[in-house]
Amino acid sequence: MLVAAAVCPHPPLLVPQVAGAAAPELDDLRAACSAAAGPLLDARPDVLAVVGGAETTASFPGNAAGTLRPWGPDVRVGPGDLVLPLSLTIGRWLLEGTGVLPVLRFEAVSFDAPPDECAALGRRLATAAPRVALLVMGDGSARRTEKAPGYIHPGAVPYDETLAGALASGDAGRLLGLDPDEAREQWAAGRAAFQVLGGAAEGGPPPAASELLYDDAPYGVGYFAARWSW
Protein backbone atom coordinates (compact mmCIF):
# COMPACT_ATOMS: atom_id res chain seq x y z
CA MET A 1 0.00 0.00 0.00
CA LEU A 2 1.02 3.60 -0.49
CA VAL A 3 2.25 5.13 2.77
CA ALA A 4 3.93 8.35 1.60
CA ALA A 5 4.51 10.41 -1.53
CA ALA A 6 6.49 13.47 -2.47
CA VAL A 7 6.45 15.67 -5.56
CA CYS A 8 9.45 17.67 -6.75
CA PRO A 9 10.49 19.34 -10.03
CA HIS A 10 13.51 18.26 -12.06
CA PRO A 11 15.40 21.27 -13.49
CA PRO A 12 19.15 20.57 -13.85
CA LEU A 13 19.78 23.89 -12.06
CA LEU A 14 18.46 22.29 -8.88
CA VAL A 15 21.95 20.78 -8.54
CA PRO A 16 24.34 23.50 -7.30
CA GLN A 17 27.28 22.25 -9.37
CA VAL A 18 25.22 22.77 -12.51
CA ALA A 19 23.77 26.12 -11.44
CA GLY A 20 27.17 27.56 -10.54
CA ALA A 21 26.97 31.22 -9.53
CA ALA A 22 23.18 31.14 -9.96
CA ALA A 23 22.77 28.38 -7.35
CA PRO A 24 21.44 30.71 -4.59
CA GLU A 25 18.46 31.57 -6.80
CA LEU A 26 16.98 28.13 -6.10
CA ASP A 27 17.94 27.75 -2.44
CA ASP A 28 14.29 27.97 -1.37
CA LEU A 29 13.30 25.30 -3.88
CA ARG A 30 16.13 22.99 -2.77
CA ALA A 31 15.05 23.35 0.84
CA ALA A 32 11.43 22.59 -0.07
CA CYS A 33 12.46 19.50 -2.06
CA SER A 34 14.51 18.23 0.87
CA ALA A 35 11.54 18.79 3.18
CA ALA A 36 9.28 16.88 0.78
CA ALA A 37 11.61 13.94 0.09
CA GLY A 38 13.07 13.47 3.56
CA PRO A 39 9.86 12.15 5.22
CA LEU A 40 9.67 9.36 2.63
CA LEU A 41 12.31 7.51 4.65
CA ASP A 42 10.51 8.28 7.91
CA ALA A 43 7.56 6.27 6.56
CA ARG A 44 9.76 3.13 6.60
CA PRO A 45 8.84 1.96 3.09
CA ASP A 46 9.76 -1.49 1.87
CA VAL A 47 10.10 -0.01 -1.62
CA LEU A 48 10.75 3.58 -2.64
CA ALA A 49 9.86 4.16 -6.28
CA VAL A 50 11.02 7.23 -8.19
CA VAL A 51 8.71 8.20 -11.07
CA GLY A 52 9.45 10.78 -13.73
CA GLY A 53 8.71 11.72 -17.32
CA ALA A 54 10.92 10.66 -20.22
CA GLU A 55 10.76 10.15 -23.96
CA THR A 56 9.76 6.50 -23.49
CA THR A 57 8.30 4.39 -20.69
CA ALA A 58 10.89 2.14 -19.05
CA SER A 59 11.80 0.52 -15.73
CA PHE A 60 15.27 0.66 -14.22
CA PRO A 61 16.85 -1.26 -11.33
CA GLY A 62 17.64 0.25 -7.98
CA ASN A 63 21.34 0.68 -8.77
CA ALA A 64 20.69 2.61 -12.01
CA ALA A 65 22.78 5.73 -12.46
CA GLY A 66 22.44 9.05 -14.22
CA THR A 67 24.63 11.96 -15.23
CA LEU A 68 24.05 15.68 -15.72
CA ARG A 69 26.89 16.00 -18.23
CA PRO A 70 24.53 17.17 -21.04
CA TRP A 71 23.70 20.21 -18.88
CA GLY A 72 27.22 21.04 -17.68
CA PRO A 73 29.43 19.30 -15.09
CA ASP A 74 29.56 15.51 -15.09
CA VAL A 75 27.64 15.13 -11.83
CA ARG A 76 26.84 11.43 -11.44
CA VAL A 77 24.47 9.63 -9.11
CA GLY A 78 24.05 5.91 -8.59
CA PRO A 79 26.57 3.08 -8.90
CA GLY A 80 25.21 1.29 -11.97
CA ASP A 81 24.90 1.96 -15.67
CA LEU A 82 24.22 5.53 -16.80
CA VAL A 83 20.66 4.93 -18.01
CA LEU A 84 18.44 7.28 -16.02
CA PRO A 85 16.70 10.17 -17.83
CA LEU A 86 16.90 13.69 -16.39
CA SER A 87 13.82 13.46 -14.18
CA LEU A 88 15.01 10.27 -12.48
CA THR A 89 18.59 11.49 -12.24
CA ILE A 90 17.43 14.54 -10.29
CA GLY A 91 15.21 12.28 -8.18
CA ARG A 92 18.14 10.03 -7.31
CA TRP A 93 20.27 13.10 -6.51
CA LEU A 94 17.63 14.30 -4.05
CA LEU A 95 17.39 10.91 -2.35
CA GLU A 96 21.13 10.42 -2.01
CA GLY A 97 21.19 13.46 0.24
CA THR A 98 18.62 12.02 2.66
CA GLY A 99 20.55 9.12 4.20
CA VAL A 100 20.39 5.33 4.00
CA LEU A 101 17.93 4.30 1.31
CA PRO A 102 15.45 1.40 1.22
CA VAL A 103 14.96 -0.78 -1.84
CA LEU A 104 14.73 1.53 -4.84
CA ARG A 105 13.10 1.22 -8.23
CA PHE A 106 12.98 3.78 -11.01
CA GLU A 107 10.06 4.20 -13.39
CA ALA A 108 10.18 6.45 -16.43
CA VAL A 109 6.81 7.23 -17.98
CA SER A 110 6.46 8.65 -21.47
CA PHE A 111 5.55 12.32 -21.53
CA ASP A 112 2.72 11.40 -23.92
CA ALA A 113 1.47 8.30 -22.08
CA PRO A 114 -2.35 8.23 -21.94
CA PRO A 115 -3.95 8.82 -18.53
CA ASP A 116 -5.21 5.25 -18.17
CA GLU A 117 -1.71 3.89 -18.75
CA CYS A 118 -0.30 6.28 -16.15
CA ALA A 119 -2.98 5.32 -13.64
CA ALA A 120 -2.35 1.61 -14.22
CA LEU A 121 1.36 2.08 -13.54
CA GLY A 122 0.49 3.92 -10.33
CA ARG A 123 -1.76 1.09 -9.17
CA ARG A 124 0.97 -1.48 -9.85
CA LEU A 125 3.49 0.54 -7.89
CA ALA A 126 1.13 1.00 -4.95
CA THR A 127 0.74 -2.78 -4.63
CA ALA A 128 4.40 -3.65 -5.19
CA ALA A 129 5.11 -4.12 -1.47
CA PRO A 130 3.34 -3.85 1.90
CA ARG A 131 4.69 -0.32 2.36
CA VAL A 132 5.41 1.79 -0.74
CA ALA A 133 6.63 5.38 -1.00
CA LEU A 134 6.74 7.42 -4.20
CA LEU A 135 8.98 10.28 -5.23
CA VAL A 136 7.27 11.86 -8.23
CA MET A 137 9.34 14.19 -10.39
CA GLY A 138 7.41 16.63 -12.57
CA ASP A 139 7.22 20.24 -13.72
CA GLY A 140 4.22 22.41 -14.42
CA SER A 141 3.72 24.73 -17.38
CA ALA A 142 6.83 26.05 -19.12
CA ARG A 143 4.87 29.02 -20.48
CA ARG A 144 4.44 31.21 -17.40
CA THR A 145 6.43 34.27 -18.51
CA GLU A 146 7.89 35.89 -21.61
CA LYS A 147 11.28 34.37 -20.77
CA ALA A 148 9.89 30.86 -20.29
CA PRO A 149 10.98 28.09 -22.69
CA GLY A 150 7.57 28.12 -24.37
CA TYR A 151 6.98 31.88 -24.13
CA ILE A 152 3.94 33.19 -22.27
CA HIS A 153 0.52 31.58 -22.58
CA PRO A 154 -2.66 32.92 -20.95
CA GLY A 155 -3.63 29.45 -19.75
CA ALA A 156 -0.34 28.69 -18.02
CA VAL A 157 -1.14 30.19 -14.63
CA PRO A 158 -4.64 28.65 -14.40
CA TYR A 159 -3.18 25.28 -15.38
CA ASP A 160 -0.58 25.47 -12.64
CA GLU A 161 -3.16 26.68 -10.14
CA THR A 162 -5.10 23.47 -10.79
CA LEU A 163 -1.96 21.44 -10.19
CA ALA A 164 -1.11 23.34 -7.03
CA GLY A 165 -4.62 22.87 -5.68
CA ALA A 166 -4.55 19.13 -6.31
CA LEU A 167 -1.13 18.72 -4.69
CA ALA A 168 -2.06 20.87 -1.70
CA SER A 169 -5.27 18.94 -1.04
CA GLY A 170 -4.08 15.41 -1.86
CA ASP A 171 -6.71 15.13 -4.60
CA ALA A 172 -5.85 12.10 -6.75
CA GLY A 173 -8.96 12.57 -8.88
CA ARG A 174 -7.92 16.04 -10.02
CA LEU A 175 -4.53 14.71 -11.06
CA LEU A 176 -6.14 11.89 -13.02
CA GLY A 177 -8.36 14.46 -14.73
CA LEU A 178 -5.46 16.39 -16.26
CA ASP A 179 -5.91 16.66 -20.02
CA PRO A 180 -2.94 15.46 -22.13
CA ASP A 181 -3.71 17.91 -24.94
CA GLU A 182 -3.79 20.84 -22.54
CA ALA A 183 -0.55 19.65 -20.97
CA ARG A 184 1.13 19.59 -24.38
CA GLU A 185 -0.14 23.09 -25.13
CA GLN A 186 1.20 24.31 -21.80
CA TRP A 187 4.54 22.51 -22.18
CA ALA A 188 3.81 20.79 -18.86
CA ALA A 189 6.37 17.99 -18.58
CA GLY A 190 4.99 16.53 -15.37
CA ARG A 191 1.47 15.56 -16.46
CA ALA A 192 2.12 11.84 -16.95
CA ALA A 193 4.14 11.47 -13.74
CA PHE A 194 1.47 13.31 -11.75
CA GLN A 195 -1.13 10.91 -13.11
CA VAL A 196 0.96 7.95 -11.96
CA LEU A 197 0.67 9.45 -8.46
CA GLY A 198 -3.07 9.84 -9.01
CA GLY A 199 -3.38 6.18 -9.96
CA ALA A 200 -1.34 5.05 -6.97
CA ALA A 201 -3.55 7.00 -4.57
CA GLU A 202 -6.86 6.30 -6.33
CA GLY A 203 -9.29 3.96 -4.63
CA GLY A 204 -7.74 4.16 -1.19
CA PRO A 205 -8.33 6.62 1.62
CA PRO A 206 -7.27 10.20 0.97
CA PRO A 207 -3.94 11.25 2.47
CA ALA A 208 -4.09 11.87 6.19
CA ALA A 209 -1.90 14.91 5.56
CA SER A 210 -1.00 16.83 2.42
CA GLU A 211 1.11 19.95 2.15
CA LEU A 212 2.27 22.16 -0.70
CA LEU A 213 5.74 23.37 0.27
CA TYR A 214 6.67 25.30 -2.88
CA ASP A 215 4.71 26.87 -5.73
CA ASP A 216 6.57 29.32 -7.95
CA ALA A 217 7.99 29.82 -11.44
CA PRO A 218 11.47 31.32 -11.03
CA TYR A 219 12.41 30.73 -14.68
CA GLY A 220 8.93 30.86 -16.16
CA VAL A 221 8.36 27.14 -15.43
CA GLY A 222 5.96 26.01 -12.73
CA TYR A 223 7.79 24.19 -9.95
CA PHE A 224 6.05 22.46 -7.04
CA ALA A 225 7.21 20.61 -3.95
CA ALA A 226 4.60 18.69 -1.98
CA ARG A 227 4.27 15.80 0.41
CA TRP A 228 1.43 13.39 1.14
CA SER A 229 1.26 10.83 3.95
CA TRP A 230 -1.17 8.13 5.07
Side-chain angles (χ1 to χ4, degrees):
M1 62 176 290
L2 190 61
V3 296
V7 169
C8 294
H10 51 75
L13 292 177
L14 196 62
V15 179
Q17 297 97 310
V18 177
E25 296 176 6
L26 292 183
D27 280 348
D28 289 347
L29 177 58
R30 288 187 198 95
C33 288
S34 295
L40 295 177
L41 301 186
D42 297 336
R44 304 183 310 281
D46 301 305
V47 171
L48 200 171
V50 186
V51 178
E55 293 303 320
T56 58
T57 297
S59 299
F60 303 100
N63 70 342
T67 176
L68 294 173
R69 184 66 185 90
W71 295 272
D74 189 13
V75 177
R76 298 189 178 204
V77 292
D81 295 334
L82 293 171
V83 293
L84 296 179
L86 173 63
S87 62
L88 301 183
T89 297
I90 297 296
R92 174 146 214 157
W93 176 80
L94 286 171
L95 289 175
E96 289 190 352
T98 62
V100 178
L101 299 177
V103 174
L104 294 176
R105 60 187 291 178
F106 294 90
E107 300 288 342
V109 58
S110 170
F111 294 122
D112 290 327
D116 58 347
E117 181 180 311
C118 300
L121 173 58
R123 289 191 292 270
R124 291 196 299 273
L125 291 175
T127 58
R131 298 180 65 84
V132 176
L134 294 183
L135 174 57
V136 179
M137 308 300 296
D139 298 345
S141 174
R143 306 190 70 176
R144 291 276 294 267
T145 69
E146 293 180 354
K147 295 183 178 180
Y151 196 64
I152 194 168
H153 188 287
V157 170
Y159 182 87
D160 280 356
E161 287 176 344
T162 296
L163 278 177
L167 295 174
S169 62
D171 191 336
R174 289 173 71 182
L175 295 179
L176 290 172
L178 295 172
D179 182 89
D181 292 333
E182 184 181 12
R184 280 190 289 271
E185 184 176 355
Q186 295 303 331
W187 290 34
R191 188 274 308 170
F194 295 146
Q195 290 189 314
V196 173
L197 172 58
E202 181 188 29
S210 58
E211 185 177 7
L212 184 64
L213 302 170
Y214 188 94
D215 174 11
D216 204 354
Y219 303 121
V221 182
Y223 296 150
F224 311 96
R227 57 190 176 196
W228 295 4
S229 60
W230 282 262

